[in-house]
């Protein structure tokens, strides 16, 4: 739970930093070419979803509330819609001519989507298994260190989180490496091929 909070806080912070960088770099120019590339629309959906999630969590009912299921489904739905929109925005974003990334970036993105989907499915099946076997002892964790208790299956979730974060860093570094290479040698590479 604390990892989830930490990663989602980082998501909101990095999303805001990304918005600022985009606005400083290109302003609202991408909105003028929506008929060519819908990247900004999907990006905006992802941004709105990432900003709504923390607000929703403030109003989260207690675990034993009869309305908790509504929050759980809304939190899950908004999160998955925002994440899906972000992935689609990334795929459209690499198609901008100014980005000048090689076609291979698409394969790295596809590999990421496959890894994410597989881990998501494993975690979903694990959740169903835990619920069916009645070993779901998940409770809200307070800020008191004495309240911390890992839920059943947390070792698998922690291991998958470790693998996931490692692979995401590898994918990100490969793409950033291509970006840096393109910025440093892009013009030179184009001259050699002409």
């Amino acid at each position: 739970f604390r990892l989830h909070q930490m990663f989602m806080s980082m998501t909101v912070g990095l999303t805001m930093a990304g918005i600022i960088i985009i606005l400083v770099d290109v302003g609202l120019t991408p909105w003028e070419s929506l008929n060519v590339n819908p990247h900004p629309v999907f990006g905006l959906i992802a941004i709105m979803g990432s900003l709504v999630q923390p607000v929703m969590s403030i109003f989260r009912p207690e675990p034993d509330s009869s309305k908790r299921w509504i929050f759980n489904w809304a939190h899950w739905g908004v999160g998955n819609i925002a994440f899906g929109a972000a992935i689609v925005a990334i795929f459209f974003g690499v198609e901008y001519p100014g980005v000048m990334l090689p076609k291979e970036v698409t394969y790295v993105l596809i590999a990421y989507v496959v890894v994410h989907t597989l881990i998501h499915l494993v975690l979903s099946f694990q959740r169903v298994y835990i619920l069916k076997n009645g070993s779901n002892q998940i409770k809200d964790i307070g800020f008191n260190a004495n309240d911390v208790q890992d839920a059943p299956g947390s070792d698998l979730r922690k291991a998958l989180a470790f693998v996931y974060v490692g692979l995401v860093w590898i994918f990100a570094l490969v793409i950033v490496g291509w970006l840096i290479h393109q910025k440093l040698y892009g013009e030179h590479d184009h001259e050699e091929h002409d």
Side-chain angles (χ1 to χ4, degrees):
F1 178 74
R2 292 290 174 226
L3 281 176
H4 177 72
Q5 283 183 321
M6 180 184 73
F7 287 135
M8 294 305 102
S9 297
M10 286 173 40
T11 298
V12 171
L14 291 171
T15 298
M16 298 311 297
I19 294 169
I20 292 167
I21 290 168
I22 291 166
L23 290 175
V24 168
D25 189 39
V26 295
L28 297 174
T29 307
W31 285 97
E32 297 168 4
S33 61
L34 285 181
N35 57 337
V36 177
N37 190 325
H39 168 80
V41 173
F42 288 102
L44 185 61
I45 292 168
I47 290 165
M48 289 172 29
S50 75
L51 297 178
V52 165
Q53 289 287 61
V55 175
M56 287 174 54
S57 70
I58 293 170
F59 299 104
R60 177 183 65 189
E62 293 295 321
D64 55 352
S65 169
S66 64
K67 295 185 176 25
R68 179 61 180 250
W69 69 272
I70 298 169
F71 166 79
N72 289 344
W73 278 104
H75 185 64
W76 179 86
V78 170
N80 280 296
I81 289 168
F83 184 79
I87 296 300
V88 172
I90 292 169
F91 274 95
F92 279 120
V94 299
E95 292 180 6
Y96 275 115
V99 177
M100 298 185 304
L101 285 170
K103 268 289 199 215
E104 291 82 7
V105 168
T106 303
Y107 302 127
V108 174
L109 293 174
I110 291 169
Y112 166 72
V113 169
V114 168
V115 166
H116 177 82
T117 302
L118 289 173
I119 289 177
H120 189 74
L121 287 172
V122 168
L123 291 173
S124 296
F125 286 127
Q126 182 210 31
R127 177 81 172 148
V128 169
Y129 176 80
I130 288 172
L131 289 173
K132 283 191 179 236
N133 288 315
S135 60
N136 185 25
Q137 302 296 324
I138 298 173
K139 64 175 189 168
D140 274 1
I141 298 173
F143 288 102
N144 183 348
N146 296 330
D147 292 341
V148 176
Q149 177 184 354
D150 282 345
S154 63
D155 289 339
L156 174 65
R157 288 191 298 277
K158 288 175 187 176
L160 287 176
F162 180 76
V163 169
Y164 184 81
V165 169
L167 288 172
V168 166
W169 271 104
I170 291 169
F171 294 148
L173 289 173
V174 166
I175 293 172
V176 168
W178 269 322
L179 281 168
I180 291 170
H181 181 270
Q182 200 60 37
K183 291 290 182 191
L184 294 175
Y185 306 107
E187 297 297 321
H188 182 67
D189 285 350
H190 288 296
E191 290 171 9
E192 286 180 3
H193 291 102
D194 290 341

